[in-house]
Amino acid sequence: MGASKWLISLLLLSTLSACAVGNSPTEIKRIALLAPFEGRYREIGYDALYAARLALSDSQASHIELLAVDDGGSVSSATDRLLALQDDPLVTMVISLGYATAKAEKPLNTDAPLPLLIVGYWDAQPVDESTWILASAEIANRIMTEGDIAITDAAMIAESFTCADICALKQFAQLSANFDQTTVVSSALLPQQEFIERYQQSDQFAPPPGLLTTLTYDAMSIAIDASQTQSDRAQIQAYITETTFAGLNGEIRFTDGYWANAPLHEYIYDENGQLQTRDN
């Protein structure tokens, strides 16, 4: 779908929803998941989608909707999506994953900037006080590649190296002949068995959960909590900045736009191409 058609569809959806909300005593609030759902990196989007859905189901929130939006595969298209979401009054927060959304130009010249929570390391930086990175700022100092290296380029590296979340994608072991020489550093915990079972039982099409699914679950839980307890975007911004959250990945609070005291986990691949925790 072209950018213009996508924008028209989104605005039409917003208009219809607003009409429906006008007849309802409680206003619906939307949390948008902006990620790649097509192309090489669609694995990122679908892993995140089922994790966010699971968090929403567990919360039992009755007036929260999850709006999944494809980033379009480029920085310019992801920027268009952010602009459209900024203009949707029902969208309270955006959760994003992937290179395109991490580098998208967020609308800043507004009285009500859209709260944006970026899950994982995608070579992004907080651009304002309503943008937070759910990853350690130290990852940039630990990896041995360009911050925004393409997975196909990472897969061609022959020697041992340390990589960020991009090398944790399930396709990496299929693309690389030297996956067993790769160390992945991430702030995300590998999904535990209980989470894996609940994740895959949540939908017949749910894939085996990837590394960032637990972080996406935590991000969605934060967004739901903030959206339910705060009345507008400005209050949500203040709430997330000031609050400490308990998640599957531990204590989460933000300082200067980053996850403060975020953990750093190291993973390696076994002979079957499965990620496992490195024994220290």
Side-chain angles (χ1 to χ4, degrees), residues 10-235:
L10 178 60
L11 293 175
L12 178 59
L13 176 60
S14 298
T15 302
L16 293 174
S17 298
C19 293
V21 169
N23 297 321
S24 172
T26 304
E27 183 177 89
I28 295 294
K29 295 181 178 180
R30 289 192 184 128
I31 297 169
L33 175 63
L34 183 59
F37 288 96
E38 297 181 2
R40 165 65 69 186
Y41 295 119
R42 61 186 179 275
E43 172 188 336
I44 297 171
Y46 284 102
D47 270 7
L49 175 63
Y50 294 109
R53 284 180 175 175
L54 180 59
L56 183 57
S57 175
D58 287 347
S59 74
Q60 299 184 332
S62 58
H63 299 289
I64 302 289
E65 292 181 348
L66 174 63
L67 177 64
V69 180
D70 176 55
D71 64 13
S74 69
V75 173
S76 61
S77 59
T79 297
D80 287 342
R81 272 55 165 180
L82 276 179
L83 287 170
L85 293 170
Q86 171 71 45
D87 291 337
D88 185 343
L90 299 185
V91 175
T92 55
M93 280 194 69
V94 175
I95 297 169
S96 76
L97 299 91
Y99 287 139
T101 59
K103 296 183 179 298
E105 295 182 19
K106 182 182 177 185
L108 301 178
N109 56 340
T110 173
D111 294 332
L114 185 58
L116 174 63
L117 184 53
I118 300 174
V119 178
Y121 179 83
W122 303 106
D123 195 32
Q125 295 180 349
V127 294
D128 66 357
E129 294 182 351
S130 62
T131 301
W132 306 276
I133 312 294
L134 194 50
S136 172
E138 290 300 313
I139 292 177
N141 299 322
R142 296 280 296 273
I143 59 177
M144 300 166 61
T145 67
E146 294 294 326
D148 59 353
I149 189 171
I151 192 170
T152 48
D153 292 336
M156 294 177 63
I157 298 176
E159 64 273 11
S160 300
F161 72 105
T162 301
C163 189
D165 291 311
I166 191 68
C167 292
L169 297 186
K170 286 164 279 189
Q171 61 182 285
F172 179 74
Q174 301 170 357
L175 294 170
S176 173
N178 301 290
F179 61 82
D180 57 346
Q181 299 184 50
T182 303
T183 298
V184 176
V185 61
S186 175
S187 291
L189 278 173
L190 275 174
Q192 301 300 302
Q193 188 59 38
E194 180 191 10
F195 181 86
I196 293 172
E197 292 175 358
R198 295 199 310 114
Y199 179 96
Q200 293 198 276
Q201 290 170 0
S202 67
D203 192 287
Q204 62 176 326
F205 298 109
L211 179 61
L212 293 180
T213 52
T214 58
L215 268 189
T216 305
Y217 181 99
D218 284 346
M220 186 65 181
S221 298
I222 291 171
I224 292 168
D225 181 23
S227 298
Q228 284 189 305
T229 59
Q230 309 303 307
S231 61
D232 57 35
R233 293 174 179 175
Q235 290 187 10

